[in-house]
Amino acid sequence: MITLALPKGRIFDEALPLLGRAGIVPAEPPESTRRLIIGTSIPDLRIVVVRASDVPTYVQYGAADLGIAGADILMEHGGGGLYQPLDLGIGICRLCVAAPAGFDYAEAVRRGARLRIATKYVQAARDFFAGKGVHVDLIKLYGSMELAPLAGLADAIVDLVSSGATLRANDLLEVEQIAPISSRLVVNQAAFKMRHERMAAVVDALARAVPA
Ligand code: PRP
């Protein structure tokens, strides 16, 4: 049996058509079932549905043989024990620094101010600001980062931006881009070695399903 870990939420909806093009069709509609292990049209391949941030963990420990994870999630996880053979071209967005329109971010950086940054992406934020030589206090949040500057919790945030609608609705401006983000196929290294032929066939099918 091959187990594929899929993240709940937005990437999931984009992943289903991609899987379909690779001939992998869930045996029951994943959006309506509460079941977390779902069979597929391929008898030896099943899907497990997990939180996006848990996908690398399932694959790293071999509880799933492969999975779909955003580059943002992989930056935080570190990617140990994982092959990343494919950019799947889905879940496209960017990791950014955003601040209220009234906060002069560039000036604060220029004069070497110590910035308070709220984010779910602590590792990526730490690496980014360290690379720029900017001193930051990082405040870990688990969601609704956009609220933090409005509520006085932070000067700025590090978050994903897709359409930009969430920033606009909260009077925040994108002041710096950290990294472009898309979803990657991640594969357990040991599984890929030990069951190479079967695993490579699945990876190849997915590679052919990625839009050019
Ligand atoms: C992400 C991100 C922003 C929003 C950006 O949250 O954290 O809040 O999407 O999208 P936009 O630029 O198109 O408005 P998501 O909906 O993935 O939920 P999350 O807060 O659980 O990460």
Side-chain angles (χ1 to χ4, degrees), residues 10 120-121 143-146 159-167:
R10 209 183 344 202
K120 181 156 68 169
Y121 303 100
S144 301
M145 266 80 79
E146 294 83 2
D159 195 10
L160 298 180
V161 178
S162 176
S163 66
T166 310
L167 292 186

Side-chain angles (χ1 to χ4, degrees), residues 43-125:
D44 72 341
L45 200 156
R46 64 179 185 175
I47 289 169
V48 294
V49 183
V50 303
R51 265 191 82 147
S53 50
D54 291 336
V55 168
T57 308
Y58 272 82
V59 177
Q60 174 188 11
Y61 287 97
D65 300 295
L66 64 177
I68 295 179
D72 52 315
I73 300 290
L74 290 167
M75 277 190 236
E76 292 305 297
H77 173 270
L82 305 174
Y83 281 134
Q84 298 182 32
L86 280 183
D87 185 333
L88 296 170
I90 60 173
I92 290 175
C93 55
R94 52 198 186 275
L95 188 66
C96 292
V97 184
F103 179 72
D104 194 341
Y105 170 81
E107 169 62 14
V109 167
R110 199 194 53 74
R111 73 182 147 81
R114 193 173 184 96
L115 299 177
R116 275 200 306 170
I117 305 287
T119 187
K120 181 156 68 169
Y121 303 100
V122 170
Q123 196 56 49

Side-chain angles (χ1 to χ4, degrees), residues 21-43:
R21 290 195 296 277
I24 302 167
V25 179
E28 52 189 311
E31 57 280 2
S32 58
T33 183
R34 302 291 289 178
R35 218 186 277 275
L36 298 174
I37 302 179
I38 307 169
T40 72
S41 51
I42 298 180

